[in-house]
């Protein structure tokens, strides 16, 4: 049984159904409330959190190990932020093996609670949140437990515009033949701002779940 946001790409929903999942489609607000409550009325079974979970975070950390194994000269790593599990896991591995390397989180301008929390010094609610095509990253708030996990391993947060994200999606398609959803393009968009330094920079492109028609509309010049 999977609680999913009703505006999720059709491709993602179809794949979950093909794997045998029973879907409960809800609004973004209802889904976020379920994450905070760690439960959903009427859903049976053990609740598995998509980011506030030790096993998920530890799994993400293996990416950090692989990055430094394959590219030991890396000076900065950028990961998109939804709830913070990805950047926390990757950042934990990077900082353990190469503490001088920088770890950056990337968020869209329409949903940047981590950047706001970093500037305020405590977990914050992003009251200016707006829905956008970047539906795989950028939440309404930073959970206190995730904030405590991120603080020691994330050096800062880079906020990018929706136009910068579209440009990054187009660039990856043109130059690397990679189809990325908005959340997956966040790290490249952040790297292109120059705020993460000159590099070598590794951007984690996580997320290719986007309908092709929608993708074509977004990258059209």
């Amino acid at each position: 049984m999977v609680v999913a946001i009703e505006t999720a790409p059709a491709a993602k929903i179809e794949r979950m159904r093909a794997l045998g999942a029973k879907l409960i489609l809800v609004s973004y607000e209802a889904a976020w409330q379920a994450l905070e409550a760690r439960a959903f009325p009427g859903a049976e079974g053990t609740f598995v959190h998509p980011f506030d979970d030790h096993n998920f975070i530890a799994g993400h950390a293996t990416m950090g190990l692989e990055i430094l194994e394959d590219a030991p000269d890396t000076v900065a790593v950028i990961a998109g932020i939804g709830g913070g599990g990805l950047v926390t896991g990757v950042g934990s591995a990077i900082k353990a093996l190469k503490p001088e390397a920088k770890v950056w989180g990337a968020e869209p301008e329409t949903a940047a609670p981590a950047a706001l929390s970093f500037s305020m010094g405590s977990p914050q609610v992003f009251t200016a949140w707006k829905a956008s095509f970047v539906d795989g990253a950028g939440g309404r708030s930073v959970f206190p437990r995730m904030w405590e996990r991120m603080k020691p391993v994330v050096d800062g947060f880079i906020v990018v515009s929706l136009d910068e994200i579209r440009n990054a999606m187009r660039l990856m398609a043109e130059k690397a033949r990679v189809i990325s959803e908005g959340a997956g393009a966040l790290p490249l968009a952040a790297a292109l701002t120059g705020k993460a330094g000159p590099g070598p920079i590794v951007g984690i492109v996580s997320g290719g779940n986007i309908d092709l028609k929608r993708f074509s509309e977004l990258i059209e010049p």
Side-chain angles (χ1 to χ4, degrees), residues 64-79:
L65 301 179
E66 291 179 11
I67 287 169
L68 293 183
E69 180 180 335
D70 294 341
D73 59 341
T74 296
V75 299
V77 176
I78 308 175

Side-chain angles (χ1 to χ4, degrees), residues 3 41 100 119 129 132 163:
V3 177
E100 70 274 19
S119 66
W129 183 92
S132 76
D163 283 341

Side-chain angles (χ1 to χ4, degrees), residues 173-192:
E174 290 177 344
K175 303 297 184 182
R177 298 296 187 262
V178 170
I179 303 298
S180 169
E181 63 180 274
L186 271 172
L188 177 58
L192 291 172

Side-chain angles (χ1 to χ4, degrees), residues 81 106-113 126 132 134 137-139 158-162 165 186:
I81 292 184
E107 293 180 301
E109 61 185 354
T110 51
F126 193 78
S132 76
V134 189
I158 300 172
V159 178
V160 293
S161 70
L162 297 184
I165 297 169
L186 271 172

